[in-house]
Amino acid sequence: MPYQPRAIDQALLALLPEAPAIAIEGAKGVGKTETALQQANHQLFLYNPADRIVAEADPMLEQLPDGTVLIDEWQNAPATWDAVRRAVDRGAAPGRFILTGSATPAAGIDSHSGAGRILSLHMRPMAIFERGGQKPSVSLAAMFDGDADISGTSAATLSDYVEAIGSSGFPGIHHHSPQLRQRHLNSYIDRVIDRDLPGAGYATRKPDTLRRWMAAYGAASSTTTTYSGILDATTAGDGSQPAKDTTAQFRDLLTSIWILDPVPAWNSLRNPLKAIRLSPKHQLVDPALALTLQRLGPRDLTSQRGNHLLGPLFESLATLSVRAAAAATGASVSHLRTAKGLQEVDLIAESFDGRLIGFEVKLSVSVSDADVRHLLWLRRQFPEDVVDLAVLYSGPVAYRRPDGVACIPLDLLGS
Protein backbone atom coordinates (compact mmCIF):
# COMPACT_ATOMS: atom_id res chain seq x y z
CA MET A 1 0.00 0.00 0.00
CA PRO A 2 1.48 3.41 -0.94
CA TYR A 3 2.41 5.83 1.83
CA GLN A 4 -0.47 8.01 2.96
CA PRO A 5 0.88 11.53 3.67
CA ARG A 6 0.52 12.71 7.26
CA ALA A 7 0.25 16.23 8.68
CA ILE A 8 3.38 15.69 10.75
CA ASP A 9 5.36 15.36 7.49
CA GLN A 10 5.22 19.16 7.25
CA ALA A 11 6.87 19.62 10.64
CA LEU A 12 9.47 16.95 9.93
CA LEU A 13 10.43 18.48 6.58
CA ALA A 14 10.69 21.94 8.14
CA LEU A 15 12.86 20.80 11.05
CA LEU A 16 15.25 18.30 9.43
CA PRO A 17 17.38 20.97 7.67
CA GLU A 18 18.11 22.53 11.06
CA ALA A 19 17.84 19.88 13.79
CA PRO A 20 20.49 17.14 14.14
CA ALA A 21 18.10 14.77 15.95
CA ILE A 22 14.32 14.44 15.97
CA ALA A 23 12.33 11.88 17.96
CA ILE A 24 8.90 10.88 16.66
CA GLU A 25 6.99 9.53 19.63
CA GLY A 26 3.57 8.03 20.03
CA ALA A 27 1.61 4.84 20.61
CA LYS A 28 2.42 1.68 18.73
CA GLY A 29 0.78 1.44 15.34
CA VAL A 30 0.27 5.15 14.60
CA GLY A 31 2.64 5.09 11.61
CA LYS A 32 5.86 6.53 13.06
CA THR A 33 8.21 4.19 11.23
CA GLU A 34 6.62 4.68 7.80
CA THR A 35 6.68 8.44 8.20
CA ALA A 36 10.34 8.41 9.27
CA LEU A 37 11.28 6.09 6.39
CA GLN A 38 10.13 8.71 3.89
CA GLN A 39 13.05 10.92 5.00
CA ALA A 40 15.70 8.39 6.09
CA ASN A 41 18.64 7.16 4.01
CA HIS A 42 19.53 4.32 6.39
CA GLN A 43 17.69 2.36 9.05
CA LEU A 44 18.40 0.51 12.28
CA PHE A 45 15.39 -1.48 13.44
CA LEU A 46 16.16 -2.17 17.07
CA TYR A 47 13.44 -4.78 17.47
CA ASN A 48 15.71 -6.80 15.15
CA PRO A 49 18.49 -8.52 17.19
CA ALA A 50 21.00 -8.12 14.34
CA ASP A 51 20.46 -4.35 14.10
CA ARG A 52 20.51 -4.09 17.88
CA ILE A 53 23.94 -5.75 17.95
CA VAL A 54 25.19 -3.23 15.37
CA ALA A 55 23.97 -0.33 17.50
CA GLU A 56 25.40 -1.73 20.72
CA ALA A 57 28.76 -2.44 19.07
CA ASP A 58 29.06 1.23 18.05
CA PRO A 59 28.30 3.11 21.29
CA MET A 60 29.44 6.45 19.85
CA LEU A 61 27.47 5.96 16.60
CA GLU A 62 30.58 6.90 14.62
CA GLN A 63 30.49 4.05 12.10
CA LEU A 64 27.09 4.83 10.61
CA PRO A 65 26.92 5.75 6.90
CA ASP A 66 26.42 9.34 5.85
CA GLY A 67 22.93 10.78 5.55
CA THR A 68 19.83 10.60 7.73
CA VAL A 69 19.70 7.51 9.94
CA LEU A 70 16.45 6.17 11.35
CA ILE A 71 16.80 4.42 14.73
CA ASP A 72 13.49 2.63 15.07
CA GLU A 73 12.05 1.54 18.46
CA TRP A 74 15.07 2.99 20.22
CA GLN A 75 13.76 1.90 23.64
CA ASN A 76 14.82 -1.67 22.77
CA ALA A 77 18.41 -0.44 23.21
CA PRO A 78 18.02 2.61 25.49
CA ALA A 79 21.72 3.47 25.35
CA THR A 80 21.20 4.64 21.76
CA TRP A 81 19.23 7.66 23.02
CA ASP A 82 22.21 8.90 25.01
CA ALA A 83 24.51 8.01 22.12
CA VAL A 84 22.48 10.29 19.83
CA ARG A 85 22.53 13.04 22.45
CA ARG A 86 26.33 12.80 22.69
CA ALA A 87 26.62 12.82 18.89
CA VAL A 88 24.63 16.07 18.84
CA ASP A 89 26.99 17.51 21.44
CA ARG A 90 29.91 16.59 19.18
CA GLY A 91 28.39 18.54 16.29
CA ALA A 92 26.25 16.08 14.33
CA ALA A 93 24.98 17.57 11.07
CA PRO A 94 21.36 18.74 10.70
CA GLY A 95 19.04 15.90 9.76
CA ARG A 96 21.44 13.24 11.02
CA PHE A 97 19.10 11.19 13.24
CA ILE A 98 15.42 10.34 13.41
CA LEU A 99 14.40 8.24 16.41
CA THR A 100 11.04 6.54 16.74
CA GLY A 101 9.65 4.99 19.89
CA SER A 102 6.38 3.97 21.47
CA ALA A 103 7.42 3.82 25.12
CA THR A 104 9.78 5.24 27.65
CA PRO A 105 12.61 2.93 28.87
CA ALA A 106 11.69 0.38 31.49
CA ALA A 107 11.93 1.36 35.13
CA GLY A 108 15.46 1.37 36.49
CA ILE A 109 17.09 2.42 33.20
CA ASP A 110 18.78 5.78 33.44
CA SER A 111 18.50 7.95 30.35
CA HIS A 112 19.05 11.66 29.81
CA SER A 113 15.94 13.57 28.72
CA GLY A 114 17.63 14.84 25.58
CA ALA A 115 16.35 18.36 26.27
CA GLY A 116 18.15 20.88 24.12
CA ARG A 117 19.56 18.19 21.84
CA ILE A 118 16.72 15.98 20.59
CA LEU A 119 13.50 17.56 19.33
CA SER A 120 10.30 15.63 20.01
CA LEU A 121 7.30 15.32 17.71
CA HIS A 122 4.18 13.58 19.00
CA MET A 123 2.41 11.48 16.38
CA ARG A 124 -1.16 10.21 16.78
CA PRO A 125 -3.45 7.95 14.72
CA MET A 126 -4.75 9.29 11.42
CA ALA A 127 -7.17 12.19 11.56
CA ILE A 128 -10.09 12.15 9.12
CA PHE A 129 -8.22 14.38 6.68
CA GLU A 130 -5.27 11.94 6.65
CA ARG A 131 -7.34 8.90 5.69
CA GLY A 132 -7.50 9.53 1.95
CA GLY A 133 -11.13 10.65 1.68
CA GLN A 134 -12.38 14.10 0.79
CA LYS A 135 -9.65 16.71 0.49
CA PRO A 136 -9.90 19.29 3.29
CA SER A 137 -10.73 22.84 2.22
CA VAL A 138 -10.00 24.76 5.45
CA SER A 139 -6.42 25.11 6.73
CA LEU A 140 -5.65 25.43 10.43
CA ALA A 141 -2.37 27.17 9.56
CA ALA A 142 -4.31 29.78 7.55
CA MET A 143 -6.68 30.24 10.47
CA PHE A 144 -3.69 31.09 12.67
CA ASP A 145 -2.54 33.59 10.03
CA GLY A 146 -5.96 35.21 9.97
CA ASP A 147 -6.59 34.64 6.27
CA ALA A 148 -8.40 31.29 6.14
CA ASP A 149 -10.82 30.67 3.28
CA ILE A 150 -13.85 29.18 5.05
CA SER A 151 -15.53 27.44 2.16
CA GLY A 152 -16.24 24.03 0.75
CA THR A 153 -18.96 21.41 0.76
CA SER A 154 -18.79 18.06 2.53
CA ALA A 155 -20.55 14.91 1.41
CA ALA A 156 -20.10 13.26 4.82
CA THR A 157 -23.24 12.12 6.62
CA LEU A 158 -23.77 10.96 10.19
CA SER A 159 -23.18 7.37 9.11
CA ASP A 160 -19.81 8.39 7.63
CA TYR A 161 -18.72 9.95 10.92
CA VAL A 162 -19.94 6.88 12.82
CA GLU A 163 -17.85 4.73 10.49
CA ALA A 164 -14.85 7.03 10.99
CA ILE A 165 -15.12 6.61 14.77
CA GLY A 166 -15.22 2.83 14.54
CA SER A 167 -12.76 2.29 11.71
CA SER A 168 -9.78 3.54 13.75
CA GLY A 169 -6.98 5.87 12.77
CA PHE A 170 -4.29 3.19 13.12
CA PRO A 171 -2.97 2.76 9.55
CA GLY A 172 -2.56 -1.02 9.90
CA ILE A 173 -6.16 -1.45 11.07
CA HIS A 174 -8.14 1.21 9.25
CA HIS A 175 -8.38 -0.41 5.79
CA HIS A 176 -9.51 -3.86 6.97
CA SER A 177 -13.05 -5.23 6.87
CA PRO A 178 -15.21 -4.45 9.94
CA GLN A 179 -14.86 -8.04 11.21
CA LEU A 180 -11.08 -8.15 10.94
CA ARG A 181 -10.77 -4.59 12.21
CA GLN A 182 -12.67 -5.48 15.38
CA ARG A 183 -10.37 -8.41 16.03
CA HIS A 184 -7.32 -6.21 15.55
CA LEU A 185 -8.66 -3.60 17.98
CA ASN A 186 -9.31 -6.25 20.62
CA SER A 187 -5.84 -7.68 20.05
CA TYR A 188 -4.33 -4.19 20.33
CA ILE A 189 -5.87 -3.79 23.79
CA ASP A 190 -4.71 -7.27 24.79
CA ARG A 191 -1.13 -6.49 23.73
CA VAL A 192 -1.16 -3.25 25.72
CA ILE A 193 -2.09 -5.23 28.82
CA ASP A 194 0.04 -8.35 28.45
CA ARG A 195 3.10 -7.00 26.61
CA ASP A 196 3.46 -3.23 26.48
CA LEU A 197 2.88 -2.55 30.16
CA PRO A 198 5.19 -5.36 31.27
CA GLY A 199 7.75 -3.92 28.83
CA ALA A 200 7.39 -0.58 30.62
CA GLY A 201 8.13 -2.26 33.95
CA TYR A 202 4.65 -3.14 35.21
CA ALA A 203 3.61 -6.75 35.76
CA THR A 204 -0.14 -6.97 35.17
CA ARG A 205 -1.28 -9.31 37.92
CA LYS A 206 -4.99 -8.75 37.31
CA PRO A 207 -5.50 -8.03 33.59
CA ASP A 208 -9.29 -8.08 33.91
CA THR A 209 -9.13 -5.27 36.47
CA LEU A 210 -6.93 -3.18 34.20
CA ARG A 211 -9.24 -3.76 31.25
CA ARG A 212 -12.26 -2.71 33.33
CA TRP A 213 -10.47 0.48 34.36
CA MET A 214 -9.58 1.23 30.72
CA ALA A 215 -13.24 0.68 29.78
CA ALA A 216 -14.35 3.10 32.51
CA TYR A 217 -11.81 5.65 31.27
CA GLY A 218 -13.04 5.20 27.68
CA ALA A 219 -16.63 5.71 28.82
CA ALA A 220 -15.51 9.08 30.22
CA SER A 221 -14.15 10.23 26.84
CA SER A 222 -14.47 13.99 26.21
CA THR A 223 -15.41 14.66 29.85
CA THR A 224 -13.56 15.97 32.88
CA THR A 225 -14.91 13.23 35.14
CA THR A 226 -12.73 12.91 38.24
CA TYR A 227 -10.41 9.94 38.53
CA SER A 228 -12.35 8.92 41.62
CA GLY A 229 -15.45 8.87 39.45
CA ILE A 230 -13.70 6.61 36.95
CA LEU A 231 -12.62 4.39 39.83
CA ASP A 232 -16.22 4.17 41.03
CA ALA A 233 -17.20 2.87 37.58
CA THR A 234 -14.50 0.16 37.71
CA THR A 235 -16.44 -2.64 39.32
CA ALA A 236 -16.41 -6.40 38.92
CA GLY A 237 -19.45 -8.64 38.97
CA ASP A 238 -19.12 -8.87 42.76
CA GLY A 239 -18.94 -5.09 43.15
CA SER A 240 -15.27 -5.05 44.08
CA GLN A 241 -12.96 -2.24 42.96
CA PRO A 242 -9.19 -1.89 42.55
CA ALA A 243 -7.29 0.25 45.05
CA LYS A 244 -6.92 3.96 44.32
CA ASP A 245 -3.11 3.75 44.16
CA THR A 246 -3.38 0.84 41.72
CA THR A 247 -5.52 2.84 39.29
CA ALA A 248 -3.17 5.82 39.65
CA GLN A 249 -0.41 3.50 38.47
CA PHE A 250 -2.60 2.36 35.56
CA ARG A 251 -3.10 6.01 34.57
CA ASP A 252 0.58 6.94 34.73
CA LEU A 253 1.82 3.88 32.85
CA LEU A 254 -0.83 4.03 30.12
CA THR A 255 0.04 7.69 29.63
CA SER A 256 3.76 6.85 29.40
CA ILE A 257 3.07 4.52 26.46
CA TRP A 258 0.70 7.07 24.85
CA ILE A 259 -2.52 5.03 25.21
CA LEU A 260 -4.14 7.68 27.38
CA ASP A 261 -4.02 11.04 25.61
CA PRO A 262 -5.84 13.53 27.85
CA VAL A 263 -6.38 17.11 26.71
CA PRO A 264 -4.84 19.43 29.31
CA ALA A 265 -6.68 22.40 30.75
CA TRP A 266 -5.76 25.79 29.28
CA ASN A 267 -4.90 28.88 31.26
CA SER A 268 -2.99 31.84 29.95
CA LEU A 269 -0.02 32.91 32.05
CA ARG A 270 -0.09 36.30 30.34
CA ASN A 271 -3.70 37.01 31.27
CA PRO A 272 -4.88 34.32 33.67
CA LEU A 273 -8.55 33.70 34.25
CA LYS A 274 -9.88 33.42 37.77
CA ALA A 275 -11.75 30.36 38.95
CA ILE A 276 -10.77 28.00 36.17
CA ARG A 277 -10.78 24.22 36.35
CA LEU A 278 -7.44 22.56 35.72
CA SER A 279 -8.76 19.01 35.24
CA PRO A 280 -7.79 17.34 31.95
CA LYS A 281 -10.39 16.19 29.46
CA HIS A 282 -10.15 12.42 29.05
CA GLN A 283 -9.25 10.89 25.68
CA LEU A 284 -7.84 7.56 24.59
CA VAL A 285 -5.34 7.60 21.74
CA ASP A 286 -8.05 6.49 19.29
CA PRO A 287 -11.84 6.70 19.70
CA ALA A 288 -12.18 3.22 18.20
CA LEU A 289 -10.41 1.84 21.29
CA ALA A 290 -12.95 3.55 23.55
CA LEU A 291 -15.75 1.96 21.53
CA THR A 292 -14.13 -1.49 21.58
CA LEU A 293 -13.56 -1.35 25.35
CA GLN A 294 -17.34 -0.90 25.76
CA ARG A 295 -17.86 -4.06 23.65
CA LEU A 296 -19.65 -1.95 21.06
CA GLY A 297 -19.31 -1.55 17.31
CA PRO A 298 -19.98 1.47 15.06
CA ARG A 299 -23.62 0.52 14.45
CA ASP A 300 -24.28 0.59 18.18
CA LEU A 301 -23.59 4.35 18.25
CA THR A 302 -26.95 4.98 16.59
CA SER A 303 -28.84 2.44 18.70
CA GLN A 304 -30.08 2.49 22.28
CA ARG A 305 -27.06 0.44 23.37
CA GLY A 306 -24.46 3.03 22.50
CA ASN A 307 -26.00 6.33 21.42
CA HIS A 308 -24.91 7.94 24.73
CA LEU A 309 -21.34 7.72 23.40
CA LEU A 310 -21.99 9.18 19.96
CA GLY A 311 -21.52 12.83 20.96
CA PRO A 312 -18.43 12.25 23.14
CA LEU A 313 -16.72 10.07 20.54
CA PHE A 314 -17.53 12.55 17.76
CA GLU A 315 -15.67 15.07 19.92
CA SER A 316 -12.83 12.53 20.31
CA LEU A 317 -12.65 12.28 16.53
CA ALA A 318 -12.62 16.08 16.22
CA THR A 319 -9.91 16.32 18.88
CA LEU A 320 -7.78 13.90 16.88
CA SER A 321 -8.14 16.10 13.77
CA VAL A 322 -7.36 19.36 15.56
CA ARG A 323 -4.33 17.81 17.25
CA ALA A 324 -3.00 16.38 13.99
CA ALA A 325 -3.41 19.72 12.20
CA ALA A 326 -1.86 21.59 15.13
CA ALA A 327 1.17 19.28 15.19
CA ALA A 328 2.10 20.43 11.68
CA THR A 329 2.57 23.99 12.95
CA GLY A 330 3.91 23.24 16.42
CA ALA A 331 0.72 24.46 18.12
CA SER A 332 -0.61 23.00 21.35
CA VAL A 333 -4.20 21.93 22.04
CA SER A 334 -6.06 22.26 25.32
CA HIS A 335 -9.58 22.85 26.67
CA LEU A 336 -11.14 25.46 28.95
CA ARG A 337 -13.81 25.13 31.62
CA THR A 338 -14.54 27.67 34.33
CA ALA A 339 -14.94 26.51 37.92
CA LYS A 340 -18.74 26.66 37.96
CA GLY A 341 -19.03 25.34 34.42
CA LEU A 342 -20.65 28.52 33.16
CA GLN A 343 -18.20 28.77 30.25
CA GLU A 344 -16.60 25.91 28.39
CA VAL A 345 -14.56 25.83 25.20
CA ASP A 346 -14.10 22.32 23.85
CA LEU A 347 -10.67 22.89 22.29
CA ILE A 348 -8.19 25.75 22.13
CA ALA A 349 -5.33 25.60 19.63
CA GLU A 350 -2.47 27.87 20.69
CA SER A 351 0.52 28.82 18.55
CA PHE A 352 4.01 29.16 19.98
CA ASP A 353 3.56 32.94 20.17
CA GLY A 354 0.19 32.84 21.94
CA ARG A 355 -2.32 33.19 19.10
CA LEU A 356 -5.54 31.34 19.91
CA ILE A 357 -8.22 29.52 17.96
CA GLY A 358 -11.25 28.38 19.93
CA PHE A 359 -13.27 25.35 18.79
CA GLU A 360 -16.68 24.04 19.74
CA VAL A 361 -17.64 20.55 18.60
CA LYS A 362 -21.29 19.92 17.78
CA LEU A 363 -22.84 16.72 16.47
CA SER A 364 -25.42 18.66 14.51
CA VAL A 365 -26.11 19.58 10.89
CA SER A 366 -26.69 23.23 11.82
CA VAL A 367 -25.13 25.83 14.12
CA SER A 368 -27.22 28.08 16.35
CA ASP A 369 -26.46 31.24 18.32
CA ALA A 370 -26.40 29.14 21.49
CA ASP A 371 -23.66 26.96 20.01
CA VAL A 372 -21.24 29.87 19.69
CA ARG A 373 -21.87 31.77 22.93
CA HIS A 374 -18.81 30.34 24.73
CA LEU A 375 -16.60 31.09 21.75
CA LEU A 376 -17.75 34.71 21.69
CA TRP A 377 -17.10 34.89 25.46
CA LEU A 378 -13.53 33.67 24.83
CA ARG A 379 -12.99 36.43 22.26
CA ARG A 380 -14.28 39.03 24.69
CA GLN A 381 -11.85 37.80 27.35
CA PHE A 382 -8.82 37.73 25.03
CA PRO A 383 -9.50 40.11 22.13
CA GLU A 384 -5.81 40.52 21.25
CA ASP A 385 -5.01 36.81 21.31
CA VAL A 386 -7.99 35.15 19.63
CA VAL A 387 -7.37 35.10 15.88
CA ASP A 388 -10.27 32.83 14.93
CA LEU A 389 -13.21 30.87 16.30
CA ALA A 390 -14.89 27.82 14.81
CA VAL A 391 -17.59 25.24 15.31
CA LEU A 392 -16.72 21.79 13.98
CA TYR A 393 -20.00 20.15 13.07
CA SER A 394 -21.54 17.38 10.97
CA GLY A 395 -23.32 19.65 8.49
CA PRO A 396 -22.54 19.96 4.77
CA VAL A 397 -21.20 23.50 4.21
CA ALA A 398 -18.22 25.51 5.48
CA TYR A 399 -19.12 29.16 5.96
CA ARG A 400 -18.52 32.11 8.28
CA ARG A 401 -21.33 33.52 10.42
CA PRO A 402 -21.95 37.29 10.66
CA ASP A 403 -20.37 37.26 14.14
CA GLY A 404 -17.14 35.93 12.61
CA VAL A 405 -17.38 32.36 13.85
CA ALA A 406 -16.44 29.78 11.21
CA CYS A 407 -18.70 26.74 10.81
CA ILE A 408 -16.64 23.87 9.42
CA PRO A 409 -17.75 20.31 8.58
CA LEU A 410 -15.31 18.13 10.52
CA ASP A 411 -13.94 16.33 7.47
CA LEU A 412 -13.06 19.66 5.78
CA LEU A 413 -10.57 20.78 8.47
CA GLY A 414 -6.93 20.11 7.58
CA SER A 415 -3.47 21.34 8.43
Side-chain angles (χ1 to χ4, degrees):
M1 184 177 297
Y3 176 70
Q4 184 70 36
R6 307 292 297 274
I8 204 171
D9 293 338
Q10 301 171 40
L12 194 58
L13 286 169
L15 294 171
L16 276 173
E18 299 185 52
I22 299 173
I24 305 176
E25 300 170 315
K28 286 188 175 177
V30 298
K32 301 181 300 295
T33 301
E34 285 302 313
T35 290
L37 283 171
Q38 306 310 304
Q39 310 302 328
N41 305 112
H42 313 283
Q43 305 86 35
L44 285 175
F45 298 107
L46 296 190
Y47 60 81
N48 183 328
D51 280 1
R52 196 158 60 244
I53 289 171
V54 170
E56 292 171 346
D58 183 16
M60 302 297 286
L61 299 180
E62 294 178 323
Q63 305 304 314
L64 297 175
D66 293 338
T68 299
V69 178
L70 165 62
I71 302 177
D72 187 51
E73 296 295 350
W74 66 266
Q75 73 272 7
N76 287 303
T80 56
W81 179 275
D82 285 333
V84 169
R85 178 180 59 84
R86 290 192 296 269
V88 173
D89 286 341
R90 295 195 306 271
R96 180 61 169 142
F97 298 103
I98 302 176
L99 300 97
T100 59
S102 51
T104 53
I109 295 176
D110 185 27
S111 183
H112 190 280
S113 69
R117 282 88 159 186
I118 304 173
L119 289 179
S120 293
L121 297 177
H122 187 177
M123 190 171 185
R124 295 179 167 88
M126 295 184 297
I128 289 185
F129 67 87
E130 296 177 306
R131 299 183 187 185
Q134 183 167 345
K135 185 177 179 179
S137 60
V138 179
S139 163
L140 183 70
M143 293 176 74
F144 272 123
D145 290 338
D147 59 359
D149 177 19
I150 308 299
S151 64
T153 302
S154 168
T157 63
L158 176 62
S159 62
D160 293 316
Y161 287 119
V162 166
E163 173 64 15
I165 291 168
S167 65
S168 170
F170 292 115
I173 295 176
H174 174 71
H175 295 289
H176 289 307
S177 67
Q179 294 82 1
L180 183 56
R181 198 165 60 211
Q182 201 64 47
R183 288 181 179 270
H184 274 301
L185 287 167
N186 273 305
S187 294
Y188 190 99
I189 295 166
D190 290 341
R191 296 296 80 78
V192 166
I193 294 170
D194 61 30
R195 294 185 186 176
D196 296 344
L197 286 182
Y202 178 77
T204 313
R205 294 186 297 274
K206 295 182 177 180
D208 288 345
T209 301
L210 174 54
R211 192 178 183 110
R212 288 203 314 274
W213 187 87
M214 291 175 67
Y217 184 94
S221 293
S222 302
T223 75
T224 56
T225 300
T226 63
Y227 285 107
S228 61
I230 294 173
L231 173 59
D232 289 343
T234 309
T235 57
D238 58 4
S240 62
Q241 294 178 342
K244 184 176 180 180
D245 59 349
T246 298
T247 59
Q249 193 172 23
F250 291 166
R251 180 192 68 206
D252 293 344
L253 286 165
L254 289 167
T255 301
S256 76
I257 61 172
W258 315 100
I259 300 302
L260 304 190
D261 198 7
V263 180
W266 178 86
N267 195 15
S268 172
L269 296 177
R270 294 182 300 167
N271 188 11
L273 291 170
K274 297 178 180 179
I276 190 171
R277 290 187 180 181
L278 298 178
S279 303
K281 185 177 285 191
H282 305 301
Q283 298 292 1
L284 285 165
V285 64
D286 190 306
L289 292 180
L291 193 63
T292 299
L293 283 161
Q294 309 309 308
R295 301 186 183 280
L296 298 173
R299 288 181 297 179
D300 294 314
L301 287 173
T302 52
S303 74
Q304 190 171 359
R305 288 190 67 211
N307 59 16
H308 62 288
L309 285 173
L310 179 56
L313 293 187
F314 181 75
E315 182 175 332
S316 297
L317 188 68
T319 300
L320 190 58
S321 283
V322 173
R323 281 174 146 174
T329 65
S332 62
V333 177
S334 53
H335 80 97
L336 187 153
R337 183 178 175 86
T338 54
K340 295 183 179 180
L342 297 178
Q343 289 86 25
E344 181 176 2
V345 179
D346 290 332
L347 299 167
I348 296 178
E350 183 171 10
S351 67
F352 71 93
D353 57 358
R355 287 170 291 161
L356 305 177
I357 303 172
F359 290 95
E360 285 292 312
V361 181
K362 298 293 180 184
L363 182 63
S364 172
V365 296
S366 62
V367 176
S368 69
D369 290 347
D371 293 333
V372 304
R373 66 188 187 280
H374 297 311
L375 294 176
L376 298 178
W377 168 85
L378 180 69
R379 187 166 64 192
R380 290 194 300 270
Q381 301 303 307
F382 302 96
E384 296 183 359
D385 297 329
V386 172
V387 295
D388 213 338
L389 300 168
V391 177
L392 299 176
Y393 77 128
S394 58
V397 179
Y399 66 97
R400 195 175 289 280
R401 289 167 46 97
D403 54 23
V405 178
C407 302
I408 307 171
L410 177 55
D411 70 332
L412 295 187
L413 178 70
S415 56

